[in-house]
Amino acid sequence: MDLNECPYFEYKCQKTIDELRKMGLDIDEDVSDDDDAQVNPEDTARDRFGETNVDTTKGVMRLVWARMIWVMADAEGDDLSRLYYVIAVGKTILFAEPVGRIPVASMTAQPLPHRHIGMSVAETVTDLQDIKQAIKRGGLDNLYLANKRRHVISNKVNLEDFLDSRPGGLVRMVDDSMPAEGHVLPLVHPFAFDTIIGSLEYFDQDRQNRTGASRYFSGTDAGAINKTASGTMALQNMASMRIEHIARMMAPAVESLFSVRGRSSPNTQTKLLRSSSRQVDLG
């Protein structure tokens, strides 16, 4: 996205009153950053990162939402629109000056509707990490129950001996009670460790589909030698397409970033690097 085509662009971040004053801005301690008294349900639904938290600190360390705004406007009344850079807190304008361009490069791997900040690759697989952790814990719990099963015991069994689970340990019983009278009954738990741990393969495959980082593409699959060459090549091509898609989404932002960097230092002298018989302009 070329932000210089936008007639209005804004981003905001939290800064203390002290930080804004150190930037050379004249700001009161009791300034209000509440530019909209009514809570918009649509904005609340899109608040994925908890951006609407209210700070109750007093004095110069109070956090306020500082708005950095680039807007096309006819502020001078000469029927000509210009691009202005404005710093505001709520509806209070602290700084304004005309500028030549918006020095912001928008870069995101996976854009989201109605959001300037999209999703990273890590955000697409974070839930899978939590799921796999829960599955591993469930599989280990099943294995623990298989090794040390639960029992139903009567009052004829010495509880202290029974709670001390040692390999080959003895369990005493009350006098005049026999082991065959059913004072100890094991609870049967299905052994499903293999099935539980085997289900991790499904989520590994889902992770590869979401990110495009396939094991075949990275060459870490020990069993890939048993796969057909055409099938492995097809999987590699699919993974490459996913990674290429992310690269294509971020490529215009990299171009814009270098353009912003070049415009931000117009007084930098051109340096020449002599290499063999040609000169390379480093900028």
Side-chain angles (χ1 to χ4, degrees), residues 212-230:
S214 173
R215 64 184 64 175
Y216 304 104
F217 184 68
S218 57
T220 59
D221 185 17
I225 193 172
N226 298 323
K227 306 291 191 303
T228 61
S230 58

Side-chain angles (χ1 to χ4, degrees), residues 14-68:
Q14 283 190 311
K15 290 184 177 294
T16 63
I17 301 294
D18 182 64
E19 289 175 336
L20 292 174
R21 287 179 176 178
K22 289 179 179 179
M23 294 170 58
L25 302 176
D26 185 13
I27 180 172
D28 298 330
E29 293 184 8
D30 58 348
V31 64
S32 174
D33 60 350
D34 186 10
D35 57 344
D36 190 358
Q38 296 182 352
V39 178
N40 191 338
E42 186 176 0
D43 293 338
T44 303
R46 295 173 182 169
D47 185 17
R48 300 174 56 242
F49 305 104
E51 300 162 328
T52 57
N53 295 332
V54 179
D55 182 64
T56 58
T57 307
K58 303 297 182 180
V60 295
M61 297 308 296
R62 182 169 69 95
L63 286 171
V64 294
W65 283 106
R67 303 168 58 194
M68 285 63 176

